[in-house]
Amino acid sequence: MNAMTTPGVTLRRSTLAVALLGAFGYGQPVSAVNLVVSNNYDLGTSTMNNSTVRVTSGGVLTGNGAKVSGSATEVLLIESGGNAVLENVTLSNDLDHATGRNGRTARATGADAQLTLIDSAVNIRAYSTTPDTDYNHSYTAAVAADNGGHVDVQGGSITAQGSKRTVGMQANDGGSITASDLEITTHNHFGHAVQAYRSPSGSEILTPIELNRVTITTLGANYALGAQVGNKGATLKATDTHF
C-alpha cells in the first residue's frame, strides 16, 4: 500500500482493487483514495471516484463543488468531534456489488459529529445482484445520523433506490437531522423517504427529525412511506412539507 500524507490529512491508495478485478471482473480503480481528515481540509472542487472521506475528532472538512463517489459502508463519515460543511457537492454510494452490506452515503455518528450539506445532491443505490435476496440490503440510507451525530441539510436533493429498505434519510438512536428546502425521492419498496427510529432494545433517547419546506416522493410499489417514526424517543416535526 502506498501512502501520502500532509498535515492533518492521510491519503491511502488501495492495491486490493487489482485482486478484485482479477477474481471477480470488477473492482475499485487503483486510483481510489481513502481520505482521513483530522484538522482543516478543503476539498474545493475536486473529484474523487471510488473513494471515501472520514473526518475524525478535531477535523473540519469544507468544499464547494466537489464530487465524491464510492462503494463503501460510508462514503462520507463524520465521527465524534468532527465537522463538515459542504456546498454544491455530489455524494454517491453504489452498493450493487456489495450484497449483504448495509451502507450510508453520508453519516454523522458520535457526540458532536456535525455535517452540513448546502444545495447538494446525495444518492445511494443498493440493488441486490443475487435473485430472491431482497433482504440482503437492509436499512441502507443516503443520509444518516446516530449516537449524538447531527446532520443539517439545506436545499438540494436526496435520491435512494435499491432492492429493499433503501431510505432517503435516517436518524437512529440519539442522532438528529434537520432539513429545509429539500427534495427527497425513493424508488423501492420499503423505501421510506424519512425515518426516525430508536432501537427498542436500547435506552430511550431523543431521536428527532425536523423538516421545513421539504418535498417527498416515494415511488416504490409496496410500503414505501413518506415518513416513519418508530419507538418512544423518535420524533418528527414537519412544516410546509409535501408528501
Side-chain angles (χ1 to χ4, degrees), residues 92-225:
S92 304
N93 197 3
D94 187 344
L95 297 174
D96 286 1
H97 293 303
T99 301
R101 179 195 294 172
N102 292 331
R104 314 289 190 264
T105 302
R107 178 189 181 195
T109 181
D112 299 321
Q114 301 281 334
L115 169 61
T116 301
L117 296 169
I118 303 169
D119 296 330
S120 298
V122 185
N123 310 300
I124 191 165
R125 287 176 55 94
Y127 286 103
S128 175
T129 55
T130 305
D132 302 321
T133 55
D134 280 347
Y135 287 95
N136 280 344
H137 289 297
S138 61
Y139 298 110
T140 51
V143 171
D146 59 272
N147 296 313
H150 178 71
V151 179
D152 182 20
V153 186
Q154 304 171 22
S157 64
I158 291 174
T159 304
Q161 50 190 322
S163 301
K164 193 169 189 176
R165 290 180 177 154
T166 305
V167 306
M169 64 167 56
Q170 184 182 72
N172 291 104
D173 297 320
S176 61
I177 299 174
T178 57
S180 58
D181 304 301
L182 173 69
E183 294 185 1
I184 304 174
T185 305
T186 65
H187 292 266
N188 47 280
H189 62 298
F190 280 70
H192 310 325
V194 176
Q195 186 177 56
Y197 187 83
R198 184 188 64 79
S199 300
S201 60
S203 301
E204 183 180 327
I205 186 170
L206 187 62
T207 304
I209 293 180
E210 182 175 346
L211 308 177
N212 295 286
R213 301 175 303 280
V214 174
T215 300
I216 290 172
T217 304
T218 56
L219 301 175
N222 300 304
Y223 196 44
L225 303 180

Side-chain angles (χ1 to χ4, degrees), residues 41-67:
Y41 187 76
D42 186 5
L43 284 174
T45 60
S46 60
T47 297
M48 298 172 61
N49 296 318
N50 296 290
S51 302
T52 63
V53 179
R54 179 164 65 97
V55 183
T56 62
S57 180
V60 179
L61 179 71
T62 56
N64 191 330
K67 297 180 180 179

